[in-house]
Amino acid sequence: MKVRKAVIPAAGLGTRMLPATKTVPKEMLPIVDKPAIQYIIEEAVDSGIESILIITNRAKTAIDDYFDYSPELENALARSGKSDELEAVRRVADMAEFFFVRQKETKGLGHAIWRAKEFVGNEPFAVLLGDDIMMADVPVTKQLINAAEKYGAAAVGTQSVSAEAISKYSSLKVSELEERIFKVSDMNEKPAPGEAFSEYAILGRYVLTPEIFPILEKTPPGHGGEIQLTDGLRELCLRSPMVAVDFIGRRYDTGNLPGFLEAMIDFSLRDNSVGDWLRDFLKEKVKTF
């Protein structure tokens, strides 16, 4: 199982980050000196992904533009002798082969993934949600790819969450295969109290097989009146092998303000250009509150 394609759904309306996201795609909000979605792209590339499909909507053309060449800017940087900046700008467009498709209607994550059918063809593929940034020594997508290849199965990224929080996620019914890897036999979306299979939740990363597409095509609207990817995944795990990887790493939900600020602080502290300054600044700032 060679995974060389990835799909990044980025068609959401960004309602949890208004008013900033009224005109700026939430995926383009900067974390340190890069837009949030670039961290996700870099994770995919570092995991061996070669081709990436980003699913957008009519308000997200800034994403298309960002991962394209910018001749006027590049020429200006070259004339000014700003070689480092020129290399950084050019590298963005050269990281992978990029494709874009619009989700013309807001019909849920399952529908967005179904829109990738022609791009994926008959290959396994990774899915990286556009809100979720991961900090990990081994890219989380690579951890899933390794497990998917070892077991010849689809894979979902998981971590244990609190009993109170599981109602916000998809709960997995699992049995251990080895340390941090589980067989998935069932799941449910945003379970009501007492209905969760476990406290293992799906968190933003998947490696799927093309078998998911005919399933999603027939999946009726579910929770919230949308076509839920979880409903399709549940059918897939009942038909074919699926594993859950309790990945090693920190997840940031940058689709809400607390998660965005956590990512901003943590990534800034690790940045060579501002980390030391920010650490000293925060030490002094907290003394005044």
Side-chain angles (χ1 to χ4, degrees):
M1 177 186 286
K2 171 66 174 174
V3 182
R4 61 185 194 89
K5 293 181 177 180
V7 176
I8 300 177
L13 299 177
T15 54
R16 295 185 295 165
M17 292 289 281
L18 288 169
T21 50
K22 178 182 177 182
T23 56
V24 179
K26 61 183 177 179
E27 296 84 7
M28 293 301 295
L29 295 175
I31 295 177
V32 194
D33 59 351
K34 297 184 289 190
I37 195 170
Q38 185 169 337
Y39 292 89
I40 298 170
I41 298 289
E42 289 172 348
E43 177 190 331
V45 172
D46 290 343
S47 300
I49 297 299
E50 301 167 3
S51 299
I52 297 171
L53 175 69
I54 304 176
I55 302 171
T56 64
N57 62 35
R58 66 180 64 87
K60 302 283 184 94
T61 56
I63 299 176
D64 305 43
D65 293 341
Y66 184 77
F67 291 102
D68 196 1
Y69 293 137
S70 181
E72 289 185 2
L73 174 60
E74 292 169 19
N75 289 337
L77 292 172
R79 288 195 301 269
S80 301
K82 296 181 177 180
S83 57
D84 290 344
E85 291 85 347
L86 176 59
E87 181 181 356
V89 168
R90 191 77 178 185
R91 186 179 70 85
V92 168
D94 289 334
M95 286 191 295
E97 190 174 10
F98 292 102
F99 301 86
F100 299 87
V101 66
R102 285 185 175 182
Q103 186 183 21
K104 298 177 181 179
E105 301 174 86
T106 306
K107 297 174 67 175
L109 180 57
H111 177 261
I113 298 303
W114 179 80
R115 294 281 291 145
K117 179 180 178 181
E118 298 303 320
F119 166 77
V120 168
N122 194 35
E123 297 184 40
F125 64 104
V127 175
L128 300 85
L129 297 193
D131 284 344
D132 292 338
I133 293 178
M134 307 292 187
M135 183 183 288
D137 291 334
V138 177
V140 172
T141 297
K142 180 60 176 174
Q143 295 178 45
L144 266 65
I145 290 173
N146 290 343
E149 291 177 345
K150 179 176 181 178
Y151 288 95
V156 295
T158 188
Q159 286 185 338
S160 179
V161 302
S162 68
E164 295 75 23
I166 193 65
S167 62
K168 301 176 184 178
Y169 300 100
S170 301
S171 173
L172 296 172
K173 185 176 183 180
V174 297
S175 55
E176 188 173 34
L177 292 171
E178 59 177 281
E179 186 178 8
R180 308 191 78 94
I181 299 180
F182 305 87
K183 176 183 177 181
V184 179
S185 56
D186 208 343
M187 64 183 72
N188 53 9
E189 172 76 8
K190 294 181 173 62
E195 294 183 359
F197 287 117
S198 73
E199 293 178 5
Y200 281 105
I202 300 178
L203 297 177
R205 296 294 185 268
Y206 314 78
V207 172
L208 304 178
T209 63
E211 294 174 76
I212 192 65
F213 294 116
I215 294 173
L216 290 174
E217 191 169 10
K218 297 179 181 179
T219 299
H223 186 88
E226 297 182 338
I227 298 173
Q228 296 292 338
L229 178 59
T230 300
D231 293 339
L233 293 177
R234 180 178 186 272
E235 183 65 27
L236 181 64
C237 81
L238 295 175
R239 298 183 185 186
S240 305
M242 180 182 293
V243 297
V245 179
D246 182 7
F247 61 84
I248 300 172
R250 171 73 187 275
R251 167 185 174 262
Y252 300 88
D253 180 0
T254 61
N256 65 71
L257 188 56
F260 180 83
L261 293 175
E262 286 179 359
M264 177 69 80
I265 293 170
D266 283 3
F267 280 90
S268 296
L269 289 171
R270 286 173 171 253
D271 186 88
N272 291 332
S273 64
V274 297
D276 291 340
W277 166 82
L278 181 60
R279 191 172 292 106
D280 293 339
F281 175 81
L282 292 175
K283 288 177 181 177
E284 292 301 316
K285 183 60 67 173
V286 296
K287 294 178 183 178
T288 66
F289 286 90

